[in-house]
Amino acid sequence: MERVNQTSSVSEFILLGLFSRPEDQKPLFALFFITYVVTIAGNVLIILAIRSDTQLQTPMYFFLSILSFVDVCYTTTIVPKMLVNFLSKQKSISYAECMTQMYFFLAFASTESYLLAAMAIDRYVAICDPFHYVTTMSRRRCVLLVTFCSIAHLHSLLLVLLINCLLFCDSNIIHHFLCDINPLLKLSCSSTFVNEIVINTEGLVTLVSPFICVIISYLQILTVVLKIPSAAGKHKAFSTCGSHVTMVTLFYGSIIYVYFRPLSTDTIKDRVATVIYTILSSMLNPFIYSLRNKDVKRGLRKLMSRRMS
């Protein structure tokens, strides 16, 4: 009974945000509002262009449309509350809302990680085994790969349940702009040993496994491409992977920086890195894939011409 009473003593948390100075709040609101609108508009356009163009009905663009959908959900989990807090003096978030935000934040982040791995597998088959690409990457297998990505929700649920078992009895101030694992672990007044063990084992496996899959896929691709005799052939093969490599670098680079360090090293740099893999990467995704891809640009032009007519 004592445990329940201590846990329920914290009914809300205070999110200090990205920067705490009052004069920064309105400029940050304007910046992230524009970023959010661009993110939603860009990703929705990518989804509509892929769905409306028969020439984009391939596994690569199927995964891209799912990635765009996840990015829309991902940023919607974080940014609206962030925008409200920029203009609010309280900057509070209820305990239940905090746990809910963390669940969906972790679920969509993990889903994106698995999707990037699925896209790497698609590029591997397309370059290393092109003659069997249609049969290997069939619609059914693509759907199965996307369905497998939903395992991320189990990972998220486990971490949230473990956080929910912690006691928060000293302070309710979170030095972050969202409810994330590390800030809440630092805030807890009970032992976080079990949580840290799970994060360093199950969490590590969940995050590292897709990344290793990406690395292995691209090592195989590199081996095959280097054997192509013509420079034009090599350039064409590499160009099909450029956008994906950019997204992988941006996403995994910032995540590794944030989570693969001790809890005591949490700084403003961690919050900026979190912005990169949560908000910035979701906004840049449509630009990276559309600016470097003639098929997507053609699909977007077709979509816009239909809307205009």
Side-chain angles (χ1 to χ4, degrees):
M1 182 63 69
E2 181 184 356
R3 184 180 181 85
V4 173
N5 289 335
Q6 287 185 36
T7 304
S8 62
S9 64
V10 174
S11 60
E12 64 178 20
F13 294 103
I14 306 299
L15 293 170
L16 290 187
L18 191 59
F19 302 105
S20 57
R21 294 190 306 176
E23 61 269 24
D24 293 332
Q25 303 310 300
K26 289 184 178 179
L28 285 172
F29 173 86
L31 174 64
F32 282 96
F33 178 76
I34 293 170
T35 300
Y36 182 59
V37 171
V38 171
T39 300
I40 300 300
N43 283 289
V44 168
L45 281 174
I46 290 288
I47 295 170
L48 293 175
I50 291 172
R51 289 181 62 87
S52 62
D53 192 341
T54 55
Q55 295 184 23
L56 296 179
Q57 304 299 312
T58 65
M60 180 173 70
Y61 298 116
F62 169 72
F63 289 127
L64 177 57
S65 65
I66 300 298
L67 181 66
S68 293
F69 174 75
V70 169
D71 281 337
V72 169
C73 298
Y74 197 14
T75 52
T76 302
T77 300
I78 301 167
V79 179
K81 183 62 180 178
M82 189 179 181
L83 293 175
V84 170
N85 284 346
F86 280 138
L87 301 180
S88 172
K89 292 183 179 179
Q90 284 294 100
K91 303 185 186 301
S92 62
I93 182 171
S94 69
Y95 184 90
E97 190 180 357
C98 183
M99 294 298 109
T100 303
Q101 184 191 59
M102 184 166 62
Y103 169 79
F104 285 107
F105 159 67
L106 293 173
F108 288 126
S110 300
T111 300
E112 181 149 341
S113 177
Y114 282 110
L115 275 173
L116 291 173
M119 295 172 79
I121 293 171
D122 172 73
R123 291 299 83 208
Y124 161 74
V125 177
I127 294 173
C128 300
D129 193 15
F131 297 109
H132 297 95
Y133 178 72
V134 175
T135 54
T136 303
M137 299 302 295
S138 64
R139 184 75 177 182
R140 179 176 173 273
R141 286 180 179 171
C142 290
V143 172
L144 284 174
L145 277 172
V146 171
T147 304
F148 178 76
C149 293
S150 62
I151 195 175
H153 287 268
L154 296 177
H155 161 70
S156 175
L157 180 62
L158 173 62
L159 293 181
V160 170
L161 288 175
L162 287 173
I163 291 290
N164 195 49
C165 292
L166 296 177
L167 303 179
F168 301 96
C169 45
D170 296 330
S171 172
N172 68 336
I173 299 175
I174 299 177
H175 295 269
H176 215 308
F177 59 86
L178 75 147
C179 292
D180 198 4
I181 297 174
N182 287 352
L184 285 170
L185 288 179
K186 290 182 66 178
L187 198 63
S188 174
C189 58
S190 60
S191 173
T192 60
F193 177 75
V194 175
N195 299 72
E196 292 182 41
I197 290 296
V198 172
I199 290 171
N200 292 328
T201 52
E202 187 272 344
L204 191 65
V205 170
T206 303
L207 177 63
V208 171
S209 297
F211 184 60
I212 291 175
C213 180
V214 171
I215 296 297
I216 292 173
S217 297
Y218 276 106
L219 286 176
Q220 294 292 328
I221 289 171
L222 185 63
T223 303
V224 170
V225 171
L226 290 177
K227 293 179 181 177
I228 298 175
S230 67
K234 290 179 181 178
H235 180 267
K236 184 179 179 181
F238 280 130
S239 64
T240 63
C241 304
S243 299
H244 184 253
V245 170
T246 303
M247 286 302 302
V248 165
T249 304
L250 197 65
F251 183 79
Y252 282 109
S254 51
I255 280 186
I256 289 170
Y257 179 83
V258 172
Y259 292 104
F260 284 63
R261 300 195 304 155
L263 289 176
S264 58
T265 60
D266 179 48
T267 62
I268 185 63
K269 292 181 181 179
D270 294 318
R271 279 169 263 170
V272 173
T274 304
V275 169
I276 292 174
Y277 80 83
T278 55
I279 301 171
L280 188 63
S281 63
S282 297
M283 183 192 72
L284 293 178
N285 173 39
F287 295 101
I288 291 172
Y289 277 96
S290 61
L291 293 177
R292 296 177 59 90
N293 192 301
K294 294 180 180 178
D295 293 333
V296 175
K297 284 192 284 187
R298 187 197 65 248
L300 287 170
R301 282 195 296 267
K302 284 184 179 180
L303 177 67
M304 296 308 293
S305 64
R306 288 199 201 99
R307 299 301 179 200
M308 293 295 290
S309 60

